[in-house]
Amino acid sequence: MMTMRTALRITAWSSAGPALFIAGLALGQHPAPTDYKGVKESVLAAIDLAKEIDSVENRELRVSRATVAPGGHIGFHSHRGDPTIVYVLAGILTNHQDNGTTEEFRSGQVFAEFGPRSHWVENNEPTPVTFIVANIHRRE
């Protein structure tokens, strides 16, 4: 038969094992860092939203990916009230401004559209053009 002392020893060691395991996990965890380390950041484009939108009511910050097929286009439009930044991932996107200027944007290049000016974009290349669009979109 087991003595009281033996029973207490077994209980003590049974409790100590999980306690030591949990303490080891807690000691092995690192606190979440609050700084930046090994990061290089460059602002590629910025838009002063106070000058572009009157309210955030019915708005959402949206990031989307678009692909325009060879010969495809996005028709003439304005980004008034819908400030937008475009980052080209692949291909060449030709941007036509309402002032008559045309500019080509290649992989890794960025441009911003905002304010009263209008523009349209097209893909004149034999391969698709893919780009990321970040904007303050008006939900309709």
Side-chain angles (χ1 to χ4, degrees):
M1 213 155 106
M2 190 178 342
T3 67
M4 183 64 121
R5 181 178 281 176
T6 305
L8 287 173
R9 257 191 224 145
I10 291 172
T11 302
W13 282 110
S14 297
S15 299
L20 289 171
F21 178 75
I22 291 169
L25 285 178
L27 291 174
Q29 291 181 350
H30 298 287
T34 58
D35 62 342
Y36 283 32
K37 179 180 179 182
V39 176
K40 182 178 179 183
E41 181 179 26
S42 301
V43 174
L44 301 176
I47 299 170
D48 182 351
L49 295 179
K51 295 178 182 178
E52 297 301 318
I53 60 175
D54 52 0
S55 165
V56 293
E57 184 83 25
N58 289 324
R59 298 296 187 113
E60 61 188 5
L61 172 59
R62 186 169 76 171
V63 176
S64 54
R65 178 176 26 201
T67 300
V68 179
H73 64 267
I74 297 173
F76 194 67
H77 64 282
S78 168
H79 287 273
R80 173 173 230 126
D82 180 26
T84 300
I85 295 175
V86 177
Y87 181 89
V88 179
L89 295 173
I92 301 172
L93 185 64
T94 304
N95 187 22
H96 303 275
Q97 296 287 334
D98 61 3
N99 65 5
T101 62
T102 298
E103 193 170 0
E104 291 182 340
F105 293 93
R106 292 171 162 66
S107 176
Q109 292 185 303
V110 177
F111 65 97
E113 288 295 336
F114 56 93
R117 66 182 182 227
S118 295
H119 77 124
W120 66 284
V121 295
E122 67 178 328
N123 179 4
N124 293 320
E125 300 300 311
T127 58
V129 61
T130 303
F131 51 96
I132 298 292
V133 178
N135 63 340
I136 307 297
H137 182 72
R138 185 185 329 270
R139 285 182 266 166
E140 310 261 344

